[in-house]
Amino acid sequence: NAAKEPGCLSIKFLDDCERDIKKLRVLKSEKMLSNVEKCENIRSIAKEMHANLRDLSTLVIHNLKKRRREFPDWWDNSTSDQVFEAVSKKGSTIVNESFTKHLDLTLETLRGITHGRKLLSDTLKQVIEDSHDALLATAEDCQMDIKDLYKSLHKALFDLPHLSKQHIQACIDEMQMLVTAAESIAQSEIETLTVLW
C-alpha cells in the first residue's frame, strides 16, 4: 500500500467521477429526448388546430393570463420564445430546468385548449348532423332542391381540420344557414296551410 501523495486523486475517486458523468449524460439524453418529443406533440397540435406557431404562442399566453391571472414566478418571455423557436425547428431544443418548465406548461395549456375545442367541435358537429337530417327530410317532403345543403354540410364537417377555428366557424355558419332554411320551410308550410284553409 503506497502512501498517497499530496494533491493526487485516488483511482476510486476518479472512477466514481467517471461513473457519475456517465449517469449525467444518460439523464441529459433522456431529458433531451423527452423535450424533443414534447416539441413534436406541440407541432402535432398546431397541425390539428390549423394554426401557425405565432398563433399558438399568442393562444398559450392569452390562456395563461385568463386562467391564472398572472404568470408563474419562474416564467420568462425569452425562454418562452426559445420554446417556440425549438418547436418551429428554428432553434435548438434545450435541456435545462427553465426550458423544460416552459415547455411542459405550454404543452399542458395547449392540451387543455385542444380538449375544449374537441368538445365544442364534436357537439357542433352532432347538432348540425341532427338538424341536417331533420331539415333534409322536411325539404324532401316539400320537394325542395337540397344540393346546396349537402355542399355546405360537407364543407363544414369534412374539409377543415377538426380542431381549427375555421372548422368551428364553419359549423356556426352552417347552423345559421340551417336556422334560415328551417324558417323558410316553416314559412312555406304556413303559406301552404293558409291556402288550403
Side-chain angles (χ1 to χ4, degrees):
N1 241 348
K4 289 184 186 177
E5 294 180 32
C8 287
L9 300 175
S10 72
I11 292 180
K12 181 183 178 328
F13 176 76
L14 292 173
D15 288 344
D16 289 345
C17 287
E18 191 174 324
R19 188 176 54 251
D20 289 344
I21 289 171
K22 285 180 183 177
K23 283 181 186 177
L24 288 173
R25 283 185 179 141
V26 168
L27 288 174
K28 183 178 180 182
S29 291
E30 288 171 353
K31 185 57 79 174
M32 174 65 86
L33 184 60
S34 174
N35 284 356
V36 167
E37 189 175 294
K38 289 171 189 173
C39 287
E40 204 44 57
N41 288 338
I42 292 172
R43 277 191 285 280
S44 176
I45 288 171
K47 187 175 180 180
E48 283 182 74
M49 294 176 110
H50 199 248
N52 64 39
L53 295 174
R54 186 178 311 131
D55 292 341
L56 283 187
S57 175
T58 302
L59 195 57
V60 166
I61 289 171
H62 177 74
N63 189 275
L64 287 173
K65 284 179 183 176
K66 284 191 99 116
R67 209 174 60 182
R68 295 177 179 250
R69 296 220 164 86
E70 61 184 57
F71 289 98
D73 294 339
W74 49 262
W75 185 266
D76 176 49
N77 288 332
S78 65
T79 305
S80 174
D81 292 343
Q82 288 176 331
V83 166
F84 280 99
E85 286 174 12
V87 169
S88 70
K89 296 183 180 179
K90 291 179 184 167
S92 58
T93 303
I94 300 170
V95 179
N96 67 37
E97 186 177 354
S98 179
F99 183 89
T100 301
K101 279 182 170 182
H102 283 74
L103 184 61
D104 288 342
L105 185 58
T106 298
L107 184 56
E108 174 190 330
T109 301
L110 286 172
R111 283 181 174 156
I113 293 167
T114 300
H115 178 72
R117 280 194 178 184
K118 182 174 178 5
L119 291 175
L120 176 62
S121 187
D122 289 347
T123 301
L124 287 173
K125 182 178 178 181
Q126 190 60 51
V127 167
I128 289 172
E129 286 176 343
D130 293 346
S131 300
H132 243 277
D133 291 346
L135 187 62
L136 291 175
T138 305
E140 285 175 352
D141 289 344
C142 297
Q143 286 104 30
M144 298 177 92
D145 184 21
I146 55 174
K147 291 177 192 169
D148 290 338
L149 291 175
Y150 280 120
K151 280 185 203 173
S152 63
L153 174 68
H154 190 272
K155 180 181 180 206
L157 301 180
F158 303 111
D159 290 349
L160 298 168
H162 189 64
L163 299 177
S164 68
K165 287 189 312 188
Q166 296 88 347
H167 174 83
I168 292 170
Q169 186 60 53
C171 287
I172 292 169
D173 292 346
E174 179 66 17
M175 288 173 63
Q176 290 171 338
M177 192 193 80
L178 285 168
V179 168
T180 303
E183 288 171 349
S184 176
I185 289 172
Q187 184 61 36
S188 175
E189 288 180 348
I190 290 170
E191 289 171 3
T192 302
L193 287 173
T194 305
V195 169
L196 291 175
W197 266 49

Short mmCIF file of all heavy atoms in Angstrom, two decimals, residues 8 30 34 42 46 53 58 69 103 108 124 133 138 140 143-144 150 154-155 157 167 186 195:
data_model
loop_
_atom_site.label_atom_id
_atom_site.label_comp_id
_atom_site.label_asym_id
_atom_site.label_seq_id
_atom_site.Cartn_x
_atom_site.Cartn_y
_atom_site.Cartn_z
N CYS A 8 -2.82 14.41 -5.12
CA CYS A 8 -3.16 13.35 -6.06
C CYS A 8 -4.57 12.85 -5.76
O CYS A 8 -5.00 12.80 -4.62
CB CYS A 8 -2.19 12.18 -5.93
SG CYS A 8 -0.57 12.55 -6.62
N GLU A 30 -31.92 11.50 -21.91
CA GLU A 30 -33.33 11.18 -21.69
C GLU A 30 -34.18 12.45 -21.66
O GLU A 30 -35.27 12.49 -22.23
CB GLU A 30 -33.49 10.40 -20.38
CG GLU A 30 -32.98 8.98 -20.46
CD GLU A 30 -32.95 8.27 -19.11
OE1 GLU A 30 -33.19 8.93 -18.06
OE2 GLU A 30 -32.68 7.06 -19.10
N SER A 34 -37.08 13.55 -24.26
CA SER A 34 -38.40 13.93 -23.75
C SER A 34 -38.80 15.31 -24.27
O SER A 34 -39.95 15.50 -24.70
CB SER A 34 -38.37 13.92 -22.21
OG SER A 34 -39.57 14.42 -21.70
N ILE A 42 -46.39 19.40 -29.69
CA ILE A 42 -46.89 20.76 -29.93
C ILE A 42 -47.06 21.01 -31.43
O ILE A 42 -48.06 21.60 -31.86
CB ILE A 42 -45.97 21.82 -29.28
CG1 ILE A 42 -46.06 21.71 -27.74
CG2 ILE A 42 -46.32 23.23 -29.75
CD1 ILE A 42 -45.05 22.55 -26.99
N ALA A 46 -50.50 21.97 -33.35
CA ALA A 46 -50.59 23.10 -34.29
C ALA A 46 -51.25 22.66 -35.59
O ALA A 46 -52.10 23.36 -36.14
CB ALA A 46 -49.21 23.68 -34.56
N LEU A 53 -47.30 28.72 -35.49
CA LEU A 53 -46.71 28.77 -34.16
C LEU A 53 -46.89 30.12 -33.49
O LEU A 53 -47.01 30.19 -32.27
CB LEU A 53 -45.24 28.37 -34.22
CG LEU A 53 -45.04 26.91 -34.64
CD1 LEU A 53 -43.57 26.61 -34.82
CD2 LEU A 53 -45.66 25.96 -33.65
N THR A 58 -49.50 33.03 -29.02
CA THR A 58 -50.49 34.01 -28.56
C THR A 58 -51.61 33.32 -27.78
O THR A 58 -52.05 33.80 -26.73
CB THR A 58 -51.08 34.78 -29.77
OG1 THR A 58 -50.01 35.40 -30.46
CG2 THR A 58 -52.10 35.80 -29.34
N ARG A 69 -54.42 34.49 -14.17
CA ARG A 69 -54.39 35.93 -13.88
C ARG A 69 -52.98 36.48 -13.73
O ARG A 69 -52.77 37.67 -13.75
CB ARG A 69 -55.24 36.25 -12.65
CG ARG A 69 -56.69 35.94 -12.87
CD ARG A 69 -57.57 37.00 -12.25
NE ARG A 69 -58.91 36.92 -12.74
CZ ARG A 69 -59.85 36.14 -12.23
NH1 ARG A 69 -59.58 35.38 -11.21
NH2 ARG A 69 -61.05 36.14 -12.74
N LEU A 103 -41.74 24.49 -21.51
CA LEU A 103 -42.24 23.51 -22.49
C LEU A 103 -43.40 22.72 -21.92
O LEU A 103 -44.43 22.55 -22.58
CB LEU A 103 -41.09 22.58 -22.91
CG LEU A 103 -41.38 21.54 -23.99
CD1 LEU A 103 -41.80 22.21 -25.29
CD2 LEU A 103 -40.16 20.67 -24.20
N GLU A 108 -49.12 21.54 -21.70
CA GLU A 108 -50.30 21.33 -20.84
C GLU A 108 -51.42 22.31 -21.22
O GLU A 108 -52.58 21.93 -21.33
CB GLU A 108 -49.90 21.54 -19.38
CG GLU A 108 -51.05 21.51 -18.39
CD GLU A 108 -50.62 21.97 -17.01
OE1 GLU A 108 -49.45 21.78 -16.63
OE2 GLU A 108 -51.47 22.56 -16.31
N LEU A 124 -70.94 20.67 -31.84
CA LEU A 124 -71.46 21.39 -33.01
C LEU A 124 -71.74 20.44 -34.17
O LEU A 124 -72.77 20.54 -34.83
CB LEU A 124 -70.47 22.47 -33.44
CG LEU A 124 -70.35 23.71 -32.56
CD1 LEU A 124 -69.20 24.59 -33.04
CD2 LEU A 124 -71.65 24.50 -32.53
N ASP A 133 -80.36 16.26 -40.85
CA ASP A 133 -81.24 15.13 -41.13
C ASP A 133 -82.71 15.55 -41.07
O ASP A 133 -83.50 15.21 -41.97
CB ASP A 133 -80.99 14.00 -40.12
CG ASP A 133 -79.63 13.34 -40.32
OD1 ASP A 133 -79.00 13.55 -41.38
OD2 ASP A 133 -79.18 12.62 -39.39
N THR A 138 -87.59 17.16 -44.16
CA THR A 138 -88.67 18.13 -44.39
C THR A 138 -88.57 18.71 -45.79
O THR A 138 -89.58 18.86 -46.48
CB THR A 138 -88.60 19.26 -43.33
OG1 THR A 138 -88.63 18.67 -42.04
CG2 THR A 138 -89.75 20.22 -43.48
N GLU A 140 -87.23 17.41 -48.47
CA GLU A 140 -87.61 16.40 -49.47
C GLU A 140 -89.12 16.25 -49.54
O GLU A 140 -89.69 16.10 -50.62
CB GLU A 140 -86.93 15.06 -49.16
CG GLU A 140 -85.46 15.05 -49.49
CD GLU A 140 -84.75 13.77 -49.07
OE1 GLU A 140 -85.37 12.92 -48.39
OE2 GLU A 140 -83.57 13.62 -49.43
N GLN A 143 -90.54 18.84 -51.64
CA GLN A 143 -89.95 18.83 -52.98
C GLN A 143 -89.05 20.05 -53.23
O GLN A 143 -89.13 20.71 -54.26
CB GLN A 143 -91.04 18.77 -54.07
CG GLN A 143 -91.68 17.43 -54.22
CD GLN A 143 -93.07 17.40 -53.60
OE1 GLN A 143 -93.74 18.41 -53.57
NE2 GLN A 143 -93.49 16.26 -53.11
N MET A 144 -88.17 20.35 -52.26
CA MET A 144 -87.23 21.46 -52.40
C MET A 144 -85.89 20.92 -52.87
O MET A 144 -85.54 19.77 -52.60
CB MET A 144 -87.05 22.18 -51.06
CG MET A 144 -88.33 22.81 -50.53
SD MET A 144 -88.03 23.54 -48.92
CE MET A 144 -87.61 25.18 -49.42
N TYR A 150 -76.28 19.94 -48.90
CA TYR A 150 -75.25 18.89 -48.82
C TYR A 150 -73.85 19.48 -48.98
O TYR A 150 -72.92 19.09 -48.29
CB TYR A 150 -75.47 17.83 -49.90
CG TYR A 150 -76.53 16.81 -49.55
CD1 TYR A 150 -77.65 16.66 -50.35
CD2 TYR A 150 -76.40 15.99 -48.43
CE1 TYR A 150 -78.62 15.72 -50.04
CE2 TYR A 150 -77.36 15.06 -48.11
CZ TYR A 150 -78.48 14.92 -48.92
OH TYR A 150 -79.43 14.00 -48.60
N HIS A 154 -70.88 19.32 -46.15
CA HIS A 154 -69.60 18.70 -46.43
C HIS A 154 -68.45 19.64 -46.10
O HIS A 154 -67.47 19.25 -45.48
CB HIS A 154 -69.53 18.26 -47.90
CG HIS A 154 -68.35 17.41 -48.20
ND1 HIS A 154 -67.14 17.92 -48.57
CD2 HIS A 154 -68.20 16.06 -48.14
CE1 HIS A 154 -66.28 16.94 -48.73
NE2 HIS A 154 -66.89 15.81 -48.48
N LYS A 155 -68.58 20.91 -46.48
CA LYS A 155 -67.53 21.89 -46.19
C LYS A 155 -67.35 22.06 -44.69
O LYS A 155 -66.22 22.06 -44.18
CB LYS A 155 -67.85 23.24 -46.83
CG LYS A 155 -66.79 24.28 -46.55
CD LYS A 155 -67.12 25.61 -47.15
CE LYS A 155 -66.00 26.58 -46.80
NZ LYS A 155 -66.39 27.93 -46.77
N LEU A 157 -68.11 20.05 -42.19
CA LEU A 157 -67.76 18.89 -41.37
C LEU A 157 -66.59 18.07 -41.88
O LEU A 157 -66.00 17.31 -41.12
CB LEU A 157 -68.98 17.98 -41.22
CG LEU A 157 -70.19 18.65 -40.56
CD1 LEU A 157 -71.33 17.65 -40.45
CD2 LEU A 157 -69.85 19.21 -39.20
N HIS A 167 -62.95 25.43 -38.72
CA HIS A 167 -63.95 24.36 -38.65
C HIS A 167 -65.11 24.78 -37.75
O HIS A 167 -66.28 24.63 -38.10
CB HIS A 167 -63.31 23.08 -38.11
CG HIS A 167 -64.28 21.97 -37.87
ND1 HIS A 167 -64.70 21.13 -38.86
CD2 HIS A 167 -64.93 21.57 -36.75
CE1 HIS A 167 -65.55 20.25 -38.37
NE2 HIS A 167 -65.71 20.51 -37.09
N ALA A 186 -90.61 26.55 -42.72
CA ALA A 186 -91.77 26.78 -41.85
C ALA A 186 -92.69 27.81 -42.48
O ALA A 186 -93.92 27.65 -42.48
CB ALA A 186 -91.30 27.25 -40.47
N VAL A 195 -103.35 28.64 -47.64
CA VAL A 195 -104.01 28.46 -48.92
C VAL A 195 -105.04 27.34 -48.82
O VAL A 195 -106.17 27.45 -49.33
CB VAL A 195 -103.01 28.18 -50.05
CG1 VAL A 195 -103.70 27.72 -51.33
CG2 VAL A 195 -102.15 29.40 -50.32
#
